Amino acid sequence: MQEGARIRLGVNIDHVATLRNARGTFYPDPLRMVKILEKLKVDGITLHLREDRRHIIDKDVVSIIKETNLPVNLEMAATEEMQNIATNLIPSAVCLVPEKREERTTEGGLDVINEEEKLKTFLRPLAEKEIRISLFVSPELKQIEAASRVGATIVELNTGTFCDLLIEQKKERYLDEFKKLTKAANFGKKLGLEIHGGHGLTYDSVKYIASIPEMTELNIGHFLISESVFDGIEKTIYKMRQEIDKSQKT
Ligand code: PXP
């Protein structure tokens, strides 16, 4: 990203699919949301194809990658099945996340240090297809260093802990976590990595995260889809965009 460019907003639309799947029907259609988001000029679409297909399913990934000109960021676990899907469909980016069946949503970042050799091998075919590689990590300097060693060009910093502490109003702890995120972003950029952030972001927490100077992209889902139930997606995206722009330090 050029110096001074505005932070990109990627919208995670998993929960449009959650709503559809709750009734086992065909609506609301995630692709319809993608078409609306194109008009609202968001910067990318994020989808998490989980092993248990609880929200986004294979058909969604195929149709969305085919039908949109927006960059698609495919979140996935480091499994052979997902590697095959990604190398066949070629999204703009893949964001590797840890995945446990029993979790409600992604918990914590990847343990890159302990998976270093496995990840190097896993990522090679993706890099050969020129898919951008992002690793979802906690704001820990050693994990970020390892991400750079295994061939990632992007780290997405897990903002989930910060967002939870902010909601709980644990001031000392959220300020401490914010410091960690700031330091991690600075460190990652110095290693030549592009810095993204995501998980749990709301209008309130995004003010902090968008103020981190190295931040280039934020991926936000659950809050945006939830707010749009009350306010509509257009107003919600507009408001989130405003919060990001007001907070960004150029
Ligand atoms: N980034 C990553 C890596 C995620 O796993 C998720 C959740 O799927 C998000 C961003 C979006 O998080 P949220 O839905 O809480 O905004």
Side-chain angles (χ1 to χ4, degrees), residues 50-52 54 98-105 107-108:
R50 294 188 70 104
E51 194 190 356
D52 62 10
R54 70 177 68 162
E99 205 176 289
K100 294 190 218 97
R101 266 183 190 259
E102 62 280 11
E103 69 193 356
R104 251 189 272 176
T105 179
E107 290 169 359

Side-chain angles (χ1 to χ4, degrees), residues 144-179:
I144 294 167
E145 242 171 358
S148 167
R149 283 198 299 272
V150 300
T153 55
I154 305 164
V155 281
E156 180 163 318
L157 298 178
N158 179 4
T159 55
T161 305
F162 169 77
C163 294
D164 289 347
L165 292 168
L166 186 70
I167 286 173
E168 291 160 20
Q169 281 301 298
K170 296 192 169 135
K171 191 163 180 191
E172 210 173 303
R173 289 183 61 202
Y174 76 66
L175 288 179
D176 190 46
E177 184 69 12
F178 179 61
K179 259 194 225 151

Side-chain angles (χ1 to χ4, degrees), residues 10 12 14-15 46-48 50 55 73 75 95-98 105-108 134-137 156-160 197-202 218-224:
N12 178 318
D14 291 348
H15 298 298
T46 289
L47 311 165
H48 185 174
R50 294 188 70 104
H55 36 58
N73 172 36
E75 290 177 6
C95 179
L96 286 192
V97 296
T105 179
T106 316
E107 290 169 359
S134 170
L135 301 187
F136 184 61
V137 291
E156 180 163 318
L157 298 178
N158 179 4
T159 55
H199 214 274
L201 290 166
T202 63
L218 297 173
N219 287 302
I220 313 180
H222 186 250
F223 178 79
L224 291 175

